[in-house]
Amino acid sequence: MNGMVLSAMPMGEYDKRLTILTVERGKISAFARGARKPNSSLLACSQPFSYGEFTAYAGRDSYTVTNAQISNYFPGLREDLGRLYLGMYFCEFAEYFTREGNDEREVLKLLYQSLRALESGKFPASLVRRVFELKLISIEGEAPQVSACVCCGHKEEGELTHFYLPKDGAVCAPCAQDMISRYGRDILTPISPACLYAMQYVTGTPSAQLYRFSLKKEALSEFAARVGQYIKKHVEREMKTLQVLETMGVGEDEVENAP
């Protein structure tokens, strides 16, 4: 099976229980017997981020890994504590959404490309984080409507000027004016063309081509804020790794260093 280890938990004295996101069988639980022994052939492949070909046989409730050929460990992530934890957050986020038996290849592609982008150091961590979150939730069928007005369906470029969180989408200028006159300005959030384009690009672009754009400081800050609000609304679970990231300030503080 082709896949990536999302998490690893010690079991007993020498074993590990792995959660692996696979191409063929979605998210699976698998035991790596003896993986905690110093001379174990499964030692290296039983770490989060390990990506490659896993040989395993199915048991009643889980799999048992017997061999693995790992093609990428993402070693660069381990050189920076902040990006290491952000990568672990990506894995936890993916683990939350995926299921055994589902076709999760698009999530696996997204996770792999996002870890590569994070490891490269070429992008602000805040950009990689919000692109990953927005794309994953889009894959899961909960993408925001950013190509047409959620009120009237208007699609003309340049006319989408606000974002309406209760309806999960953009609003055109005439509808925004009407809503503001009825309910006040606080009901809507202005959205810049750069932020709107970024959201359109992420939701409509294949994972392999996602990390081919950049945002200036102000647009990146806005993009991070809009996606953050959207994720907070749609993701009920509080990720454990996210609590660590917020303490460290990783994934948002690099907005200050954006071009």
Side-chain angles (χ1 to χ4, degrees), residues 10 18 24 30 80 93 109 112 132 149 180 210 218 246-247 258:
L18 311 178
E24 297 86 355
D80 181 277
F93 201 78
K109 288 179 185 177
Y112 186 87
F132 173 78
C149 177
I180 290 171
L210 273 181
E218 186 176 342
E246 289 176 346
T247 300

Side-chain angles (χ1 to χ4, degrees), residues 126 195 215-227 252 255-256 258:
S126 56
C195 181
L215 292 171
K216 293 185 178 180
K217 176 181 173 181
E218 186 176 342
L220 176 54
S221 181
E222 181 187 358
F223 175 70
R226 295 293 79 75
V227 176
E252 299 301 342
V255 169
E256 298 300 322

Side-chain angles (χ1 to χ4, degrees), residues 129-130 133-134 137 144 162-166 168 186-191 195 199 221-235 252:
R129 172 184 171 179
R130 296 311 188 184
E133 291 171 331
L134 180 58
I137 206 167
H162 290 74
F163 194 85
Y164 185 39
L165 190 59
D168 296 333
D186 292 343
I187 195 172
L188 296 171
T189 303
I191 188 167
C195 181
M199 295 182 76
S221 181
E222 181 187 358
F223 175 70
R226 295 293 79 75
V227 176
Q229 290 173 338
Y230 194 81
I231 295 300
K232 186 175 182 180
K233 177 185 175 183
H234 287 275
V235 180
E252 299 301 342

